[in-house]
Amino acid sequence: MVELVTIATFLVAALASLFMAWAIGAGSSGSTPFAPAVGANAISVMRAGFLVGILGFAGAVLQGANVSEAVGSDLILGPSLTPMAATIALTIAAGLVALGVFAGYPIATAFTVTGAVIGVGLAMGGDPAWAKYTEIATLWILTPFVGGGIAYTIARLLRAELIAERYLIMLLAAFVGVLVANIEFAILGSAEAGGASIAQASSGWVPGPEIAGTVAMTVAIAILWAVVVGLDLRSELESGERHFLLVLGGLVAFSAGGSQVGLAVGPLIPLSGDLEIPLTALLVGGGFGLLLGSWTGAPRMIKAISQDYSSLGPRRSIAALIPSFMIAQSAVLFGIPVSFNEIIVSAIIGSGYAAAGAGGGVSARKMGYTVLAWIGSLAGSIVISYVAFTAVAAVLG
């Protein structure tokens, strides 16, 4: 029989997790996916907040397992997080992220949660998981260069008009179709194999080896995306670009839910075993928290990111969202916590510098504060969580 104390401590940790999920939905996953679309006047701020909440919830449930398990068990070697440790880590991380939301600056959620879990884990006597830190650091460091570089290249191609803009957008749509065909969903795979992609799940429709069927379905889905977008572009180019931009925003919002929910519910995984709570239930609860945050707090940050970083149009926004979707799904696939603020802001800067004029409308001062906030959120959360756990443990004996 489960002790009452165990249930009570889990409920306290769960409330901290829900607060963390709300803060993420209001800040990172709720504000960044549709910010370029809002900047391009493709959708209003309030509608963006509404849609990102629903799509983030879907992504949390369907793709949230990998990052959740990584945050819950891979950041520290040795002891599992105790209820007190999880509660302290989640509360401190959520407080820092919420502070960023109300101050109007995008605190990097992944940096903050990762630092908080590492801080309490080290305070418990655990050892650093250097191999996992190397994976995380590699993605975090490469994100500005890869995301910004790809966004810059796409934006330059759209401006150069080497080929007709309509056909270039269709090629980009085909590329997105390839990505969509190969992202994994837990519900498509068997229990033994884990998740599977749309192309893998439908490969049986094509005679021959599975790999040939997967490739064939990938090509078919890519062509379908190109054709559908091309037909929409025929009526009115700018209207079709805005529709494509909204689809990209939806894909990024879905991916944000799949990655960011792990930052909220990951620390609960070591605690849920005693209560026999399945991971799916944690993901649904975390997804609900993301949805509430997106609906109640995201509009403020959407406005800040879309208007303060760059004056965007549809083409530059498309250039920003495509690499954002790529990086987000890579993080989900490999179970690496990633900051969507870092992804989107880097891509916006890359597309901004492709525009005419010095910096393409990007605020250097704003970016300076943002980078400092990213560094401070990681270092500060480690130190604060370590000190807080040590102090609480000393008081409780």
Side-chain angles (χ1 to χ4, degrees):
M1 183 176 180
V2 180
E3 296 183 1
L4 183 61
V5 174
T6 302
I7 297 176
T9 52
F10 178 83
L11 290 177
V12 173
L15 288 175
S17 175
L18 183 63
F19 178 40
M20 184 73 236
W22 176 88
I24 293 172
S28 179
S29 73
S31 63
T32 51
F34 276 102
V38 172
N41 296 318
I43 190 173
S44 68
V45 171
M46 296 307 296
R47 287 183 179 179
F50 176 78
L51 288 177
V52 79
I54 295 175
L55 293 168
F57 176 84
V61 176
L62 296 176
Q63 285 197 311
N66 282 358
V67 176
S68 297
E69 292 171 350
V71 173
S73 59
D74 294 349
L75 295 180
I76 288 293
L77 302 178
S80 298
L81 293 180
T82 63
M84 182 178 71
T87 302
I88 291 174
L90 287 168
T91 302
I92 290 175
L96 292 174
V97 172
L99 180 64
V101 171
F102 295 123
Y105 285 95
I107 299 295
T109 310
F111 291 11
T112 305
V113 176
T114 301
V117 172
I118 291 174
V120 296
L122 293 176
M124 290 175 57
D127 296 321
W130 293 114
K132 191 63 177 181
Y133 300 165
T134 300
E135 292 181 5
I136 294 172
T138 300
L139 181 62
W140 288 357
I141 293 171
L142 288 179
T143 289
F145 301 100
V146 175
I150 294 176
Y152 176 86
T153 301
I154 294 175
R156 290 294 297 177
L157 288 174
L158 288 171
R159 287 181 57 83
E161 299 181 353
L162 297 176
I163 63 176
E165 186 172 338
R166 174 171 175 261
Y167 295 114
L168 182 55
I169 295 293
M170 290 175 63
L171 286 175
L172 294 174
F175 177 67
V176 173
V178 170
L179 298 178
V180 171
N182 288 281
I183 62 177
E184 291 189 352
F185 298 90
I187 60 174
L188 296 180
S190 62
E192 297 78 13
S197 67
I198 297 173
Q200 289 174 327
S202 58
S203 62
W205 300 350
V206 180
E210 181 181 351
I211 183 64
T214 300
V215 172
M217 293 307 302
T218 298
V219 172
I221 293 171
I223 293 174
L224 177 63
W225 271 73
V227 170
V228 171
V229 172
L231 292 175
D232 192 26
L233 292 170
R234 288 183 61 184
S235 57
E236 184 180 347
L237 182 62
E238 186 171 349
S239 176
E241 289 178 344
R242 294 182 189 277
H243 294 161
F244 183 43
L245 177 59
L246 289 176
V247 172
L248 289 174
L251 291 173
V252 174
F254 178 86
S255 303
S259 174
Q260 302 294 278
V261 71
L263 302 175
V265 306
L268 294 179
I269 291 179
L271 320 181
S272 62
D274 295 337
L275 301 176
E276 298 182 353
I277 298 176
L279 177 57
T280 301
L282 296 181
L283 295 177
V284 170
F288 178 71
L290 294 181
L291 184 144
L292 288 180
S294 298
W295 285 0
T296 59
R300 175 185 174 88
M301 288 299 293
I302 292 175
K303 181 177 182 296
I305 294 177
S306 64
Q307 296 183 8
D308 291 349
Y309 283 99
S310 184
S311 301
L312 300 178
R315 292 183 298 181
R316 286 166 58 191
S317 297
I318 290 172
L321 285 181
I322 289 178
S324 300
F325 177 49
M326 290 175 54
I327 296 173
Q329 282 298 324
S330 297
V332 170
L333 176 64
F334 293 106
I336 299 175
V338 64
S339 167
F340 267 76
N341 287 326
E342 182 188 14
I343 292 173
I344 293 288
V345 170
S346 300
I348 289 176
I349 292 174
S351 64
Y353 270 95
V362 177
S363 170
R365 180 174 178 271
K366 182 74 172 183
M367 278 313 307
Y369 282 124
T370 301
V371 172
L372 289 176
W374 290 345
I375 297 173
S377 62
L378 176 62
S381 60
I382 292 176
V383 173
I384 294 172
S385 298
Y386 184 96
V387 172
F389 181 87
T390 302
V392 173
V395 171
L396 298 180

